[in-house]
């Protein structure tokens, strides 16, 4: 296997009183696409959000265990969460561009990192939009409100916004679940291209999608990690009965 | 046609067990509730319109050239003895104290021109209303005098000056407080701050005025060392205190209405809480904040009690914040009770009332319609 990027050890997570993650240990390799699948409510999003500590924002969340990124425990006391989130970017299920222009959406991340030179910003924005495969559609109207874009375009803009901060890991929580088939396939192509530069972790409830684009697949059920292996293996010859039942649509 | 007959058949066959949807029922309670609600809504609108019509109608005589002579006579009788306005608190009986308003910094040239225009109009048949019209756009507010003048310019300047000062003071405080409450305060702190500031909105303005008069004025004079104890600065600060709750509440609502997803997206990009609050949340809520400030302006503009108590009530034009001023609302508040019914002075006061009404109405209308449209655009991108 390739170099390890993310590694968790005996991770437990509780919301107030309810357990959401139960003893998750997993090792995610660099510059691959890792897909999380499983029925809804099984903890996929929760797990994803603990990788960039977005769960810190929710009152009453308790986390035990360890999460290493590049062999550093991100829940250590001396970790700077703001910098961590620059390193570990996130694309949300529902596209959420700011109420700003297309340009300003992408430039926001670099700006808060202190880049104010107009030329430099122009470059960053263009590169990010090209990498997110949306440049051709918006290059003539960068000053327009991002909220006027279609759903699929908004989601690619959000990806561009995430890429503009130059992260190493991109977490995606069902990024195509609200999109039409055409936009979905565009996003999928984009994700496959992105793995050259980024480690990608994607949550999806769409098993065909996981099968099409991911290198590795993890199956979650009721807060537990049931099985984690090469995508091909999971979809053709899973070890566990529960995985097989889920893959073949016997429950879900 | 065939379809209709088919439907008819089905509807009559209620024995078949199907739900019959073709027979319209009359629902009494719905009908009544709708009418009552509608009636109430129209009643309140009508009342407001009637008030405006009344206020405006009372000011109309100023604009008409002909006027019943009887009233003019009464008025001139009334003028014979007293010319008291302005110095009521000072030396009520002193005969020298005439026409004191507005003349403090004045050049004599101006006074002469007003005198002339007055003489001309007086020659043309004692028409007080014409005098009123002619002097309306001057700066001398000397309504009770042998030669009354009704210049509202100084009152306008005073009102705008004090509004400006109070908003300059109140808006930043209220907006920052709202930003803190919406973006940083823990839930427990929020539950204390928000109701406390909102409680202030119901604070009787006479109490704020009293506080300004007794405490604030002395304190500010000690700090800034200006001459006149009661002035537009003191009044502005006091009115700002009255405006803070309104600006705060509406701003806080606008900030809270910014979708949580903006907040998450910004943090996920590695922005700090402060950066998120200032560069994402605050800009997204600008239309609402604009509305909040407008409503604050409306509040200050019509504020009477604090103006009466804390501004010094001298109609002066200067831009110096440490001079006494007199506002439109305070003028009505101070003089309406003592004016002769139907008199020119009375009419001018109603004209001022109409101005206040129109101005406040326009401000609130802008806040309501313009801002709502903008806000929707910002958040939904339509
Ligand atoms: N903010 C929250 N507070 C309390 N419980 C939550 C919260 N978010 C998620 N949960 C619960 O945690 C479990 C896992 O949720 P989630 O990670 O969103 O599942 P998935 O993304 O796999 O559908 C669910 O049972 C859900 O109800
Ligand atoms: Mg989810």
């Amino acid at each position: 296997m390739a170099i390890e990027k993310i590694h968790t050890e005996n991770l437990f997570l509780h919301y107030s009183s309810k357990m959401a993650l139960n003893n998750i240990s997993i090792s995610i390799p660099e510059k691959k696409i890792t897909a999380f699948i499983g029925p809804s409510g099984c903890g996929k999003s929760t797990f994803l959000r603990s990788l960039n500590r977005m769960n810190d924002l929710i009152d009453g969340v308790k986390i035990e265990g360890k999460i290493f990124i590049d062999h550093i425990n991100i829940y250590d006391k001396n970790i700077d969460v703001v910098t961590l989130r620059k390193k570990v970017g996130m694309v949300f299920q529902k596209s959420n561009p700011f109420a700003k222009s297309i340009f300003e959406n992408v430039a926001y991340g670099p700006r808060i990192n202190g880049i104010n030179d107009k030329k430099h910003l122009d470059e960053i924005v263009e590169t990010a939009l090209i990498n997110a495969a949306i440049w051709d559609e918006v290059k003539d109207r960068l000053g327009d409100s991002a909220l006027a874009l279609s759903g699929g375009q908004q989601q690619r803009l959000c990806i561009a916004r995430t890429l503009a901060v130059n992260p190493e890991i991109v977490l995606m929580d069902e990024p195509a679940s609200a999109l039409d088939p055409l936009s979905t396939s565009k996003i999928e192509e984009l994700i496959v291209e992105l793995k050259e530069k980024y480690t990608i972790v994607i949550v999806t409830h769409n098993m065909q999608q996981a099968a099409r684009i991911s290198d590795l697949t993890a199956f979650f059920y009721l807060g537990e990690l049931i099985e984690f292996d090469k995508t091909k293996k999971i979809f053709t010859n899973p070890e566990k009965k529960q995985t097989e039942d889920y893959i073949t649509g016997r429950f879900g | 046609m065939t379809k209709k007959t088919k439907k008819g058949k089905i509807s009559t066959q209620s024995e078949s067990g199907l739900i019959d949807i073709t027979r319209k029922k009359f629902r009494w309670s719905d009908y009544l509730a709708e009418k009552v609600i509608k009636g109430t809504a129209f009643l309140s609108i009508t009342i407001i319109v009637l008030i405006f019509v009344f206020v405006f109608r009372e000011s109309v005589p100023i604009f008409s050239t002909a006027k019943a002579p009887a009233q003019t006579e009464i008025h001139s009788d009334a003028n014979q003895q007293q010319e008291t306005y302005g110095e009521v608190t000072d030396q009520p009986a002193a005969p020298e104290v005439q026409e004191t308003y507005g003349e403090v910094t004045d050049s004599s040239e101006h006074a002469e021109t007003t005198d002339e225009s007055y003489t001309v109009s007086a020659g043309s048949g004692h028409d007080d209303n014409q005098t009123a019209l002619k002097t309306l756009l001057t700066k001398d507010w000397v309504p009770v005098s042998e030669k009354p003048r009704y210049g509202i310019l100084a009152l306008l300047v005073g009102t705008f000056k004090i509004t400006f000062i109070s908003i300059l003071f109140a808006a930043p405080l209220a907006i920052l407080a709202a930003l803190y409450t919406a973006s940083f305060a823990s839930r427990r702190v929020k539950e204390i701050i928000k109701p406390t500031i909102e409680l202030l909105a119901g604070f009787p303005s006479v109490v704020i005025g009293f506080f300004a008069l007794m405490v604030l004025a002395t304190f500010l004079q000690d700090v800034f060392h200006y001459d006149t104890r009661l002035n537009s600065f003191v009044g502005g600060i006091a009115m700002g205190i009255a405006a803070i709750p309104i600006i705060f509440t509406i701003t806080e609502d606008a900030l809270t209405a910014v979708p949580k997803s903006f907040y998450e997206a910004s943090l996920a990009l590695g922005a700090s809480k402060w950066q998120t609050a200032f560069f994402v949340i605050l800009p997204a809520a600008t239309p609402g904040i604009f509305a909040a400030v407008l409503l604050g302006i409306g509040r200050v503009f019509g504020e009477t009690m604090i103006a009466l108590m804390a501004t010094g009530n001298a109609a002066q034009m200067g831009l110096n914040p440490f001079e006494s001023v007199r506002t439109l609302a305070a003028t009505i508040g101070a003089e309406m009770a003592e004016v002769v019914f139907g008199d020119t002075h009375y009419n001018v006061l109603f004209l001022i009332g109409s101005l206040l009404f129109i101005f406040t109405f326009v401000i609130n209308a802008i806040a309501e319609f313009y801002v709502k449209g903008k806000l929707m655009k910002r958040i939904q991108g339509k």
Side-chain angles (χ1 to χ4, degrees), chain B residues 3-273:
Chain B
K3 268 182 192 169
K4 262 190 184 171
T5 48
K6 261 186 189 171
K7 260 190 189 171
K9 264 183 195 171
I10 290 167
S11 69
T12 49
Q13 287 169 349
S14 50
E15 311 88 45
S16 69
L18 300 174
I19 295 172
D20 181 9
I21 58 168
T22 59
R23 219 176 308 159
K24 275 198 177 169
K25 278 184 209 157
F26 184 74
R27 291 175 174 81
W28 264 109
S29 50
D30 280 16
Y31 178 81
L32 267 182
E34 191 195 317
K35 292 293 169 204
V36 168
I37 292 168
K38 206 173 177 179
T40 323
F42 275 102
L43 185 67
S44 39
I45 292 174
T46 313
I47 291 174
I48 291 172
V49 170
L50 285 180
I51 292 175
F52 179 69
V53 168
F54 169 75
V55 170
F56 188 70
R57 204 199 52 188
E58 293 299 310
S59 70
V60 162
I62 301 168
F63 300 105
S64 63
T65 38
K67 175 98 206 266
Q71 277 189 353
T72 333
E73 270 167 40
I74 292 169
H75 175 71
S76 50
D77 281 346
N79 290 338
Q80 293 303 302
Q81 296 95 356
Q82 15 126 323
E83 304 190 354
T84 49
Y85 271 125
E87 306 309 290
V88 184
T89 47
D90 273 4
Q91 308 131 294
E96 299 94 337
V97 189
Q98 308 169 345
E99 314 197 0
T100 42
Y101 273 131
E103 300 304 282
V104 182
T105 55
D106 198 13
S107 59
S108 53
E109 200 188 326
H110 205 283
E112 270 170 42
T113 44
T114 31
D115 277 5
E116 264 172 349
S117 68
Y118 172 75
T119 332
V120 171
S121 63
S124 65
H126 276 284
D127 198 343
D128 238 11
N129 286 319
Q130 273 201 327
T131 321
L133 251 190
K134 281 216 173 90
T135 57
L136 204 58
L137 293 180
T138 66
K139 58 183 189 163
D140 301 334
W141 179 257
V142 195
V144 180
S145 142
E146 262 177 59
K147 308 175 195 167
R149 272 154 286 151
Y150 303 98
I152 60 169
L153 282 191
L155 305 181
L156 273 174
V157 168
T159 306
F160 283 116
K161 190 162 89 173
I162 215 159
T163 306
F164 183 73
I165 291 170
S166 64
I167 295 303
L168 214 60
F169 166 72
L173 278 183
I175 292 170
L176 285 180
L179 191 63
Y180 171 76
T181 315
S183 303
F184 297 98
S186 68
R187 195 175 301 162
R188 196 155 1 106
V189 175
K190 202 175 189 162
E191 273 163 16
I192 299 170
I193 291 188
K194 208 166 139 63
T196 308
I197 297 190
E198 282 170 5
L199 217 63
L200 214 67
F203 221 61
S205 51
V206 68
V207 178
I208 297 178
F210 184 70
F211 167 76
L213 182 66
M214 304 308 287
V215 183
L216 200 61
T218 312
F219 172 75
L220 289 177
Q221 194 173 27
D222 287 349
V223 175
F224 293 98
H225 303 292
Y226 44 72
D227 296 332
T228 330
R229 188 167 169 276
L230 296 179
N231 54 41
S232 61
F233 180 66
V234 176
I237 302 276
M239 289 197 196
I241 294 173
I244 282 176
I246 294 181
I247 303 180
F248 170 86
T249 309
I250 298 168
T251 302
E252 213 268 344
D253 288 347
L255 291 171
T256 316
V258 173
K260 195 149 193 283
S261 62
F262 286 13
Y263 182 70
E264 289 199 322
S266 174
L267 289 185
L269 286 169
S272 67
K273 270 186 155 191

Side-chain angles (χ1 to χ4, degrees), chain A residues 49 52 54 57 59 82 85-86 88-90 92 96-100 108-109 112-113 145 147-148 161-162 165, chain B residues 187 260-273 275-276 279-280 283-284 377-382:
Chain A
R49 291 167 59 91
N52 66 345
M54 286 302 276
L57 307 178
D59 287 336
V82 169
R85 294 195 185 123
K86 277 172 198 156
V88 187
M90 183 164 214
F92 296 80
N96 54 359
F98 300 128
K100 297 174 188 283
Y108 176 74
I112 56 173
N113 283 314
S145 169
L147 299 173
R161 186 174 65 183
T162 304
V165 221
Chain B
R187 195 175 301 162
K260 195 149 193 283
S261 62
F262 286 13
Y263 182 70
E264 289 199 322
S266 174
L267 289 185
L269 286 169
S272 67
K273 270 186 155 191
Q275 288 170 323
T276 304
F279 301 124
V280 174
K377 230 183 179 176
R378 287 229 161 190
I379 288 174
Q380 297 170 350
K382 288 289 141 57

Side-chain angles (χ1 to χ4, degrees), chain A residues 115-141:
Chain A
I115 300 175
N116 282 312
D117 178 50
K118 176 81 175 102
K119 248 189 161 177
H120 193 182
L121 277 179
D122 282 348
E123 261 173 44
I124 294 176
V125 170
E126 182 173 344
T127 315
L129 288 170
I130 290 173
N131 286 340
I134 191 181
W135 173 248
D136 287 334
E137 289 157 68
V138 300
K139 65 180 176 207
D140 299 323
R141 47 175 177 144

Side-chain angles (χ1 to χ4, degrees), chain A residues 13-21 36-49 55 58-61 93 173-174 203 205 220 222-223:
Chain A
L13 186 147
H14 294 259
Y15 286 114
S16 322
S17 57
K18 187 176 180 295
M19 178 181 279
L21 295 176
F36 293 172
I37 60 170
S40 58
C42 69
K44 307 179 298 284
S45 300
T46 302
F47 184 51
L48 202 70
R49 291 167 59 91
N55 284 329
I58 300 169
D59 287 336
V61 168
Q93 178 168 6
D173 193 350
E174 308 196 23
V203 169
H205 61 225
F220 286 79
L222 295 180

Side-chain angles (χ1 to χ4, degrees), chain B residues 239-364:
Chain B
M239 289 197 196
I241 294 173
I244 282 176
I246 294 181
I247 303 180
F248 170 86
T249 309
I250 298 168
T251 302
E252 213 268 344
D253 288 347
L255 291 171
T256 316
V258 173
K260 195 149 193 283
S261 62
F262 286 13
Y263 182 70
E264 289 199 322
S266 174
L267 289 185
L269 286 169
S272 67
K273 270 186 155 191
W274 279 107
Q275 288 170 323
T276 304
F278 273 98
F279 301 124
V280 174
I281 310 287
L282 203 59
T286 32
I289 297 172
F290 184 63
V293 173
L294 280 181
L295 293 176
I297 291 175
R299 170 78 169 81
V300 171
F301 203 76
E303 173 56 49
T304 308
M305 211 56 221
I306 298 176
L308 274 175
M309 296 171 81
T311 61
N313 287 319
Q316 298 179 72
M317 283 283 265
L319 290 179
N320 181 354
F322 301 124
E323 273 174 4
S324 293
V325 292
R326 189 182 183 85
T327 70
L328 294 170
T331 305
I332 301 180
E335 299 174 11
M336 188 54 96
E338 295 163 40
V339 81
V340 178
F341 182 83
D343 174 18
T344 303
H345 185 191
Y346 172 92
N347 294 332
V348 174
L349 288 183
F350 272 94
L351 181 70
I352 292 175
S354 305
L355 281 180
L356 277 176
F357 192 103
I358 293 170
F359 189 85
T360 319
F361 183 80
V362 167
I363 282 188
N364 288 355

